[in-house]
């Protein structure tokens, strides 16, 4: 996103500052540099810039932690799912093996912790720790429900834990750092994260992996029409949070992002 070019460049730089290449052929750095939406950084940047909040280095550190935790979870997910491709490249577990991929994921978590410690805020550290626990619990629940009948409540709970919790905690911690109202951006991040996972589950690449691994999605549980209706309701709620924002380019981009996210499209 062009209006966030410098901000995202700063986050990418901070990510790589934390990483020592552990693998031949720059495999780990290449993974981190791979085609990534960086949506977990884009969302808080748009939201807080729309609210005229100044972005500083600690803000970038929170985004860096979020990206490191997310990338670690992808490495672990690829092992769990026995995935062969990630970001249009061969997964690290296929290039090497699951043991190497597991260790690389653990290494990224350790570097995320190091970045958290540098922020030096116990509340922020506690929030990130609670989030990672939610992510793990949700992945375990999803794994145990493979090839079993799954209710919509089960699905929403899994999406909340494995995906929305990270969006939510990044927004929450950015709010703490910015002396901003905590409750609203935290809830906003949670709903956005749910929409992101629901939409992602609908895409062709995810559908193939989910079907192979016996994972239920909203489309399978309630059908396409009801899934779109669910997203429409979430969209209304998300847009209600932007009503009182100042009118500026960041608000416009944020509303455009919400609109795009809540329309199921096959890429």
């Amino acid at each position: 996103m062009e209006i966030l070019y410098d901000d995202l460049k700063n986050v990418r730089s901070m990510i790589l500052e934390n990483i020592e290449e552990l693998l031949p052929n720059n495999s780990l750095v290449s993974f981190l540099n791979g085609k990534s939406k960086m949506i977990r950084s884009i969302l808080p940047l748009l939201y807080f810039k729309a609210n005229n909040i100044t972005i500083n280095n600690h803000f970038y550190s929170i985004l860096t932690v979020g990206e490191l935790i997310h990338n670690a979870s992808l490495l672990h997910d690829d092992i769990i799912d026995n995935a062969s491709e990630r970001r249009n490249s061969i997964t690290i577990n296929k290039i090497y093996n699951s043991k190497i991929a597991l260790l690389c994921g653990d290494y990224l978590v350790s570097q995320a912790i190091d970045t958290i410690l540098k922020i030096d805020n116990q509340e922020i550290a506690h929030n990130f720790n609670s989030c990672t626990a939610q992510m793990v619990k949700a992945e375990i629940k999803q794994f145990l429900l493979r090839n079993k009948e799954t209710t919509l409540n089960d699905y929403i709970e899994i999406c909340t834990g494995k995906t929305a919790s990270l969006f939510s905690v990044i927004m929450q911690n950015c709010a703490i750092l910015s002396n901003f109202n905590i409750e609203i951006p935290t809830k906003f991040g949670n709903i956005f994260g749910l929409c992101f996972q629901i939409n992602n589950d609908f895409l062709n690449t995810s559908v193939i992996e989910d079907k192979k691994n016996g994972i239920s999605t909203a489309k399978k549980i309630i059908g396409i029409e009801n899934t779109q209706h669910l997203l429409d309701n979430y969209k209304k709620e998300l847009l209600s949070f932007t009503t009182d924002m100042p009118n500026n380019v960041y608000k416009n981009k944020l509303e455009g992002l919400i609109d795009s996210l809540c329309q199921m499209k096959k890429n």
Side-chain angles (χ1 to χ4, degrees), residues 33 66 132 163 172 196 233 264:
N33 276 330
T132 55
T163 303
Q172 180 183 24
F196 182 86
N233 288 335
M264 294 190 302

Side-chain angles (χ1 to χ4, degrees), residues 101-227:
L102 175 64
L103 291 170
C104 285
D106 291 348
Y107 173 65
L108 295 188
V109 172
S110 75
Q111 297 312 102
I113 293 170
D114 186 62
T115 305
I116 292 169
L117 293 174
K118 291 174 183 175
I119 298 171
D120 194 25
N121 183 303
Q122 285 193 343
E123 185 177 6
I124 287 174
H126 171 75
N127 291 340
F128 270 127
N129 185 62
S130 296
C131 171
T132 55
Q134 288 182 62
M135 292 172 72
V136 172
K137 288 190 288 185
E139 286 289 352
I140 290 173
K141 178 167 185 171
Q142 184 179 69
F143 188 86
L144 293 176
L145 283 173
R146 288 186 176 200
N147 296 305
K148 295 180 180 178
E149 188 170 338
T150 305
T151 67
L152 181 61
N153 285 339
D154 285 331
Y155 173 73
I156 294 298
E157 183 180 333
I158 290 168
C159 290
T160 299
K162 66 178 284 188
T163 303
S165 62
L166 186 54
F167 280 96
S168 181
V169 79
I170 294 169
M171 294 291 287
Q172 180 183 24
N173 285 339
C174 286
I176 291 169
L177 191 65
S178 305
N179 294 315
F180 194 85
N181 177 291
I182 297 172
E183 183 180 353
I184 295 174
T186 302
K187 186 175 181 182
F188 182 91
N190 184 68
I191 298 169
F192 186 94
L194 283 173
C195 293
F196 182 86
Q197 187 61 56
I198 292 167
N199 192 299
N200 188 68
D201 287 343
F202 186 76
L203 301 180
N204 283 330
T205 52
S206 295
V207 169
I208 294 168
E209 291 296 325
D210 290 342
K211 186 175 181 179
K212 182 178 72 175
N213 291 300
I215 296 173
S216 293
T217 64
K219 175 187 173 183
K220 179 179 178 181
I221 297 167
I222 60 175
I224 294 175
E225 185 176 342
N226 286 328
T227 300

